[in-house]
Structure formats: C-alpha cells, structure tokens
Amino acid sequence: MKVRAVYALILLLAALPWFIGSRYIFHIATMITIMIPLVLGMHLMVRIGQLSLAHPAFWGLGAYASALLTMRLGMPPLLSLLVGAAVPSLVALAVGPIFLRIKGVFFVLLTFAFGEIVDLIFQEWTGLFGGNSGLYGIPKFSILGLRLTQIPHYYVLGLIAAILVYLLMRAIERSDVGAILESLNEDEMLSRSMGANALAWRVAAFVVSAFAAGISGGIYAFYIGFLSPDPFGFQTIVDLIVMVTVGGAGSVLGPVLGAIVTVPLPELLRDAREYQLMIYGVCLIGFMKFAKQGLISFIVDKRRGA
Amino acid sequence: MPHKGVARGETAVIAQMIVNGLLGGLIYVIMALGFTLIFGIMRIVNFAHGEFYMLGAVGVLVLFGNFGMNYFVAVVVAGLLTGALGVIAERVLFRSVVGEEMPGMIMSLGLSIILQSVVLLALGPEEQTVARPFSGIWRIAGAVVPWDRTVVSISAIIILVAFYIFLKFSRLGLAMQAVAQDPTTASLMGVESGTIYASAYGIACLLAGLGGALMAPIYTIGPYMGQSPMLKAFVVVVIGGLGSIPGAMLGGLLLGLTESVLATLMDSTTALIASFGVVLLVVLMRPNGLLGRTVR
Amino acid sequence: MTAPLLVVDSLTRRFGGLVAASDVSFTVAPGEIFGIIGPNGAGKTTLFNVIAGHYRPTAGRVSFEGKDISGHAADEVGRRGIARTFQAVHIFKNETVRANLHRAAVLARRHNPLTWLSRRPHATPDLEGTAAFLGLDMLLDNVAGSLAYGLQKTVGVGLAMMVGPKLMLMDEPAAGLNPSEKIAAAALIRRLRDERGISVLLVEHDMPLVMGICDRILVLNQGMPIALGTPADVKSDKSVIDAYLGEDYEFA
Ligand SMILES: Nc1ncnc2c1ncn2[C@@H]1O[C@H](COP(=O)(O)OP(=O)(O)O)[C@@H](O)[C@H]1O
Ligand SMILES: [Mg+2]
C-alpha cells in the first residue's frame, strides 16, 4: 500500500508545476521527465549487472541524431525523435556483441572509453555536430500540426515519454524477459545450461536501454534548442549513478524517485557547484554505507517490486 | 604531453619520445601500483585515487608554496598526510564494501567528489601554481630533459625501489602480495585482514599523494587535477592486469611511451582518440590484461 | 542394438600444461544410467563441463543423438536436450521453489530474444507435476535458499528437469547428503530414468550408490580412463583396485 502512496505523491508532484505556474518550476519538472528515460535505460543495465558508462554518449547520440534529422533532412520532429533514438540503439547493437562479453570493471572501463571517444567525436567533427561552439537552431517540436513553443508543452511531452518508458521497463521487469535477465545476472552458468543465450539477451537489454537514452536525448535536444558536447561527458555519468544509488536499483520505481530527488539539485544550487558535489558525494557514501538498496527499499519490500 | 618535438634529427626525435614516455610513465606507475594494490586486495576500483594525488599536490602547495618548507620535506609530509587520510577512509568507509565491486565503485566515486568539493571550497576554482624548485635542462642523445622532471623521476624511482623492498622483504608486504594473488590466503599469512586492508589502502594513498606532491611544481594545481591521473591508472591497471604489480609497472611505462609516441606523430585529439582506441582493443583482446592471470 | 544417445570420442582437455581429461571415450545408451568415478582431481567435472559446452575440447568429439556437438555453446547443448546439475548447489536462492522452476521453463523456452515471438514454445514439463515428482510440492512457496541443503540439491534437479532433457548430467548429486538422503537421491535417479525416460550420466563418490544404480561405469584417474564396464567388472578390475579403490576399500 505504501507503493500506492508513492505513486499518488509522484502524481501530485507531477501536477505541482501547474499549481505554481512558475516557468522555473516547469523547467525543473521538464528536466526531471527528460532524465527519467535516460536513468531507466542505465538502470536496465545495472539490473543485468553491468554498469554502463556509455549511456551519456547514447543520450548525446539520440540528441544529435534527432536534431540533425530534422534540421538537415527536414524530417517531421516526431519521426526524427523515434529514428534519432534508434541511432544509439543501432550503435548498441553493433558494439554490444563485443562489449557484453566483458564483465565487471572491464566493462566499466570499456564503456567509459567508448563514451569518451563518442564525446570527442561530438567535439571534433564540427562540420556535423558544431563542435564546442555548439549546434544552433534546432526547430521546435511539433506533432499533428501542433507546435510546442512553451515550457509546459515540453513538460507534457517529457511526461508522456517518461511514463511510456517507465511502463515499458516495468513490463520488462515483470515479464518472462525480466526473469531471464535476472536469472542471467544471478547465475549465468546455470541459466546458460538451461538453454538461455546469455549474450543475445544482454545485447537486447543494451539495445533497449540505449533506445530509452536516445528518446531522452531527442526530447532534450528539441526542448533546449541547442546542443553542445558538454552534457554528454563524465558529469552526467556521476548524475546518473547518483540517481540510481539514491533511488535504489532494486525496482524500476527507484531510479524514478532518484531522478525526482536529484535533478532539482543542480538547478537549485546553480551558483554553488561545490555544494552540489558535496551533497552528491555524501549521498553516494551515505547510501552505500547505510542503505545500499536506496530510497525505494524504505517503501517496497524486496520481493514483489513496484 | 609537454616538451614535444624540440629536438631536430631522427634519432633526437626518437630519443625525445622515449625520454618523454619514461618521464610520464614513471608517475603512471606510481599511481597504478596503488590502484592495483587496492583492487587486488579489496576488489575496489578506487575512483578516489586521483583525489589523493590531488591532495598530495595541494599539500606541497600549502607547505612548500605558502609556508616555505623545504621542497623534499614538504613532499614527504604531504605524502604521509595523504596516506594517513587513506587509512582513515579505509576504516570509516571502505571496510564495509570490501569485495563488493559495484558498491565499492560507488563509494569511491562519492569520496572522490567530496574531496573535490572540499578543495574547491578551500582553494576556489582557479588553478594554482607553485614555484619550480629546479630549473634548466640537460641533454641525452639529442633529447632535452628538464631538470625538474629529472628530479621527479629520480624521486619516483626511489619510491618504487622502497615499495619493492617493502613488498619483498616485510611480513606485511608479503602478506599483501599473497592476498592479492589469492584472497583466501589472508588468514593463512597470520596477518589480520583488517590490517591488510588498512595498509593496502593507506600505502596506495601514500603513493598517490607522493606522486601528486612530486608533480605539484610541474602542472597546475586544482580540485580536478586528479581525474586524468586516476583514469590513466585505471587504464594502466586494466592493460597490465588487475591486481598485478608487474603488470602495473609494465603497463605504466607502456602507456607513457605510447602517449609520447602518439603525441609526437599526431595532433592531440587524434592521439587521445587513438589512445582510447588502444584501450578498447586491449580490453577486448586480453580482458585479463597483458600480464593478468587467464584462469579465474 | 539402438544407436547410442551420447558418444564421447577421444576427448582431451588441457589447462595450460595440465591434462585434465586425456583421450576419454565412452557412449551412453538411451535409458542408461552411466557412472563416472575417480579420485578428486581426476577430471570428472572437467569432462562434464566439456560435454555441457562450458569448455571447448582441446581434442576429440562429442555427439548427441548422432549430431556433433563438440565445442557448441552451453546454451545450445542445453537446448538439444542435455541438462545438468552442479557439484555445488546452483539454484536461484532468493526465489521461491515455484519461481525457480518457472524460470527454468522460461529459460528453456525463450532462449533468445529474436525467437521470442516467432518460436513455437516447446513443451516444458508441467511445473506442479515436476514438483510432486521430486516431493517438493508442499514447498513450492518457500524461498529456495532457506531450504535444507539436500532439498536445495533437489531443487537443482527440478531446474534440470524443467528443461525437458533427454540426458541429465549429474555432478555428485549425493555429496553432502546424510545417509537417508543418499538413499532417496539414488531412488530419484532411478525414477528419472524409469518414470521420465531421462538417461543419466552420473559423477559420484559414494561407491555403494554408484555400484547400486549404474548400468555401466567409467573409471578415471588423473584424466585417464583406466576401466570401463559393469559395476561387477569394475569392482574386480586390477588396475582400478591398484590405482583408486585401494586394498581397504569397502564395497557394498
Ligand atoms: N578452469 C580450470 N583451469 C585450470 N585447471 C582446472 C580448471 N578446471 C579444472 N582444472 C584442473 O583439472 C583437474 C581436474 O579437475 P576436476 O575436473 O574438477 O576434477 P574432479 O571433478 O574429478 O574432482 C584438476 O587438477 C583441476 O585443478
Ligand atoms: Mg568435481
């Protein structure tokens, strides 16, 4: 029942911006909804026991791809959002069969190096990505002739995407696929002996999680209207790890809570980055020391997750 | 990398590449040894390793730069303070996540950004410098060798020899080596496992602190200066084989040389991409590292 | 003469310089319980791991139902109808017995995301029936890791059964069990064959158990096969007694 209360609280928080009506609150709320698919993508990998540091790069690939498809090819925004999100998925499909043979810290380093290369490409391939000076002039998002011009419009778009991705991840977790992924994570040798193709399932998870990151990136691109390589580097890795840790990896609801609690922080502490770092650090250490399962462990018991 | 393409003529260029590679590589070795020690013994990827390096440099900034202490004394004191902080961090934080890969990584990431923010609060975001205690150059085979880097390298070699003697001849060192080879041997060596963890983390931080202290006059000092050395250590250790001490030595020198060659042959971005590419390749082809054990 | 189910032909596996299994050949007939014995380190588990596809053979071949499966991946071997239990308990400890069995069926059926939708689910044994067969029906809702050791091993057998195998490789199923549990384990292995038609390849140290239920036995020593035959043949084999059983070994 506590889970219901949390859902109700989240719904209430989601409606809050309309009651307050401030643009600033709408902006923070929009950023939260944008981060949710991304952190849920990262979380899917954590669930299969692989800490992927490639996700900020997937996020960036989705962002740049969506923006460029609209700007260069004149694709309708909704289509370019979906096709743009497929780009990191395809990249994940290409590198996954190689990367996912590797486990543990090696995978961490591998995905980190991969992410750095992608970020360097964003910086250096100025002809396509605009380099460090950025990619300007991303058109507004539009759907069925409706142009999204105001922050609240993007909030609604973000909310819809966040809810859809959340439902998708929850469906995966509760389905046979979730059972397979968890089995592989718990005991790979046993699971394989029963016939599961471990690598194929891991790649599938990687592809889906990259798609979630790509969707998040696309919405981010249309919302901000300008892209630079900045957000797609190491700082976002830290943010995502903080979200998953604070919220808790044990359930799909965990990272959502983590995003809700964490995303406003840098916005609120915009002029005091040192305090933000301090709070992040204290959160990471505190949760690892006292509540490894994150906030979610106080709400749902471990067995039947939300 | 600094000092590139100074010398003319082919042998001089090659000599310069080797000199630069060795100068850079020695510091990587010092960083990587501690990093691999912590991983080998505690199964923790120490993302805070670079911050201990940074603290060593800050120590020299304060003791030598502000208080005018003798440079070498300042280096030793900064290193010892960093090591002591490492012992405390192990006892208070890391003891509870020994052997757990993911919590260990997250914990050390947390410590890393806390230390960054503390230094950011104390020093501000501006990069600082300390006066170079040594200046001038000398030449070998046409290659230019700055005196300050020479002093750093000689000190690094002394530290490495001392570390080697400690590992080979002290009871604690032998116990640490045994545990790094096979975690189940801890109790067999008759040394309490807590002592081994504390000394491993402490000594690793001492090494990182000394490395940062030595490098303080050479690079600028700031809260984020440790990130790159930490990454290099991570790379070296993966290339050399996680937990392998000879691997860290070989890997450090190899990375130093590779970087120096790449930096001579290409522009810095291409070199960076190429070096990450090398990392990708090594991890993919030899997931246990060049000198890592192939069987679990 | 029916065609053999499993043919192991001159199989060798090295680890660096160590030859863990050396030129091992034997066949398992349909409906047979075939035992492998040998002292610790003889290479029995290694042999299992090679047959099951966890290790590649250094040399030699394995075929199952007439098809070459040497060097096939573990999941492929599993899908062809070879299930296995492990020397150490391998089950999903945090899940209930029911969830364990369910997972096994799912893993066997939905082995690959691409065939997820298109593939006709192949029939897996009925969960309740399997639990009843194993005497686990009253424990279905207990968390597997909380059961007694012997029962955890039984759950391991249940996982292997849920795959619907024709051959089950069992690595020391009686190790760590008390005498009455050992008797039950022996009976269970027989019933697997008699009631479920599953052939069994068995590694076991408990001599009375092995001698009592196996149709034929292969004796390994330091990776080398030293005898192959019925329990009676093996018991009286001179080289077996010298190399392994020793003078003071008690036969049941
Ligand atoms: N993965 C491995 N790497 C190296 N040596 C191994 C490996 N697995 C088994 N061995 C060696 O092979 C030999 C046979 O072991 P094993 O098959 O487990 O014997 P058994 O099951 O008969 O007791 C032993 O000497 C063991 O140390
Ligand atoms: Mg064995």
Side-chain angles (χ1 to χ4, degrees), chain A residues 31-46:
Chain A
M31 285 313 294
I32 293 175
T33 62
I34 288 174
M35 293 314 277
I36 285 174
L38 176 58
V39 73
L40 283 174
M42 174 111 162
H43 174 247
L44 183 62
M45 295 308 289
V46 172

Side-chain angles (χ1 to χ4, degrees), chain B residues 193-266:
Chain B
S193 63
T195 311
I196 294 194
Y197 297 145
S199 26
Y201 203 90
I203 289 170
C205 292
L206 167 71
L207 287 173
L210 287 173
L214 286 172
M215 293 302 274
I218 291 178
Y219 289 132
T220 54
I221 301 163
Y224 309 114
M225 69 181 286
Q227 284 181 339
S228 160
M230 189 282 290
L231 271 172
K232 300 283 166 61
F234 194 176
V235 167
V236 165
V237 164
V238 166
I239 290 178
L242 272 167
S244 157
I245 285 169
M249 302 247 194
L250 179 75
L253 294 178
L254 221 57
L255 181 70
L257 287 170
T258 312
E259 280 189 346
S260 139
V261 171
L262 291 177
T264 312
L265 301 181
M266 345 173 160

Side-chain angles (χ1 to χ4, degrees), chain A residues 98 102 104-106 109-110 112 116-117 120 124 241 245 273-274 277-278 280-282 284-285 288-289 292, chain B residues 45 92-93 100-101 103 106 110-111 113-114 117 120-121 224 231 238 242 269 273 276 280 283-284 287:
Chain A
I98 310 168
I102 312 276
V105 274
F106 302 103
L109 184 63
L110 199 60
F112 176 80
E116 287 298 295
I117 290 180
L120 280 170
E124 296 301 320
I241 291 175
T245 306
R273 185 170 148 71
E274 55 273 32
L277 282 176
M278 179 89 78
Y280 275 14
V282 170
L284 289 180
I285 287 180
M288 276 306 108
K289 189 127 178 93
K292 280 200 185 107
Chain B
V45 174
V92 179
L93 302 176
E100 297 176 76
E101 231 166 60
I106 294 175
L111 178 61
I113 56 187
I114 287 182
S117 70
L120 193 59
L121 281 171
Y224 309 114
L231 271 172
V238 166
L242 272 167
T269 312
I273 293 185
F276 279 122
L280 281 179
V283 175
L284 290 171

Side-chain angles (χ1 to χ4, degrees), chain B residues 295, chain C residues 15 18 20 39-47 55 87 172:
Chain B
V295 185
Chain C
F15 292 110
L18 178 88
N40 267 328
K44 306 177 299 287
T45 299
T46 301
L47 204 55
Y55 298 152
Q87 187 171 344
E172 306 203 12

Side-chain angles (χ1 to χ4, degrees), chain C residues 37-91:
Chain C
I37 60 174
N40 267 328
K44 306 177 299 287
T45 299
T46 301
L47 204 55
F48 265 29
N49 283 335
V50 174
I51 296 171
H54 293 292
Y55 298 152
R56 291 180 164 276
T58 310
R61 289 180 346 118
V62 181
S63 46
F64 183 67
E65 297 188 305
K67 288 180 204 84
D68 190 354
I69 57 163
S70 1
H72 283 205
D75 49 304
E76 254 176 272
V77 174
R79 290 200 293 277
R80 284 182 184 267
I82 302 181
R84 69 171 299 183
T85 65
F86 295 82
Q87 187 171 344
V89 172
H90 276 261
I91 56 176

